[in-house]
Amino acid sequence: MDGTRRFPSRRRLLQGAVAAAVPATLASTNRATAQAWAVDYPLAEWVPASTSNYTASSRPTSYPIDYVVIHVTQETYADTLAIFQNPAKRVSAHYVVRSRDGHIAQCVRDRNIGWHAGNWTYNTRSIGIEHEGWIDKPQYLTNAMYEQSAALTAAICATYDIPMDREHIIGHQQIPGSDHTDPGPYWDWSRYIRLVNFA
């Protein structure tokens, strides 16, 4: 040794930084890939329901998907997700739409049967979308919620060849045998169907 201090070259420092960044980049990519794989609607966040709260299936092979059922949660967004994740609750919907910004969580894959309609035949043949809010509080029905939900419904209808009309996009209260009244009197069906058709 000649007693002078040697520092790594700039090139070696850059190579080291790139090598250190690669695992983090791969981990991030793997998370994004897993997220993309888990959802049927690319703009949704995957927040899985408990497997005790839906029936595994292979729709539309096992059952045709003919309807989209519109719900209002009667709970907050966070509480709805927690209910779907609680195995004792025995309930789930495929998607939940947040009021303030229209953010969408997917809780059950489309191929599986959500327990949302209270009628087995309709459960097997539909996709359920819950909307954060209460049927007597119209302030929860925001523009963002309508727009994001309509885009989701349009994508579901396009994927499963469901007509974009009130015969096939129905409210929970329309399910035979249902005692529910959601989405309630403030849900603007004309606006919603129009948004779905123009999404």
Side-chain angles (χ1 to χ4, degrees), residues 22-109:
V22 166
T25 302
L26 287 176
S28 174
T29 301
N30 288 342
R31 277 193 302 275
T33 302
Q35 163 76 5
W37 176 84
V39 296
D40 295 292
Y41 182 63
L43 299 179
E45 173 188 10
W46 179 236
V47 185
S50 167
T51 55
S52 298
N53 292 340
Y54 64 87
T55 301
S57 190
S58 58
R59 301 183 315 159
T61 304
S62 55
Y63 299 94
I65 300 175
D66 299 322
Y67 301 100
V68 176
V69 180
I70 302 299
H71 302 267
V72 168
T73 61
Q74 299 296 105
E75 297 284 350
T76 66
Y77 175 83
D79 285 351
T80 301
L81 297 178
I83 288 167
F84 291 171
Q85 291 175 330
N86 181 340
K89 293 296 186 176
R90 314 290 287 171
V91 65
S92 66
H94 296 86
Y95 298 92
V96 182
V97 186
R98 190 163 58 201
S99 172
R100 68 179 158 85
D101 58 3
H103 180 77
I104 297 169
Q106 182 167 9
C107 303
V108 177
R109 294 294 303 270

Side-chain angles (χ1 to χ4, degrees), residues 148-187:
Q148 295 306 313
S149 175
L152 168 61
T153 294
I156 292 167
C157 290
T159 300
Y160 302 106
D161 199 25
I162 302 169
M164 296 184 197
D165 58 31
R166 284 287 284 119
E167 307 286 314
H168 298 87
I169 303 169
I170 60 176
H172 192 178
Q173 84 282 359
Q174 293 175 254
I175 303 296
S178 175
D179 60 355
H180 287 249
T181 59
D182 59 306
Y186 296 108
W187 184 265

Side-chain angles (χ1 to χ4, degrees), residues 98-139:
R98 190 163 58 201
S99 172
R100 68 179 158 85
D101 58 3
H103 180 77
I104 297 169
Q106 182 167 9
C107 303
V108 177
R109 294 294 303 270
D110 291 359
R111 68 175 176 248
N112 296 323
I113 300 165
W115 298 347
H116 60 94
N119 175 312
W120 178 248
T121 300
Y122 276 81
N123 279 341
T124 62
R125 297 173 57 201
S126 67
I127 293 194
I129 304 176
E130 288 279 3
H131 297 81
E132 179 185 24
W134 285 261
I135 62 169
D136 58 347
K137 296 180 180 177
Q139 64 269 28

Side-chain angles (χ1 to χ4, degrees), residues 11 14-15 18 32 38 40 100-101 105 107 143 157 183 186 190 192:
R11 181 174 181 202
L14 290 173
Q15 287 173 331
V18 168
D40 295 292
R100 68 179 158 85
D101 58 3
C107 303
N143 291 334
C157 290
Y186 296 108
S190 296
Y192 189 70

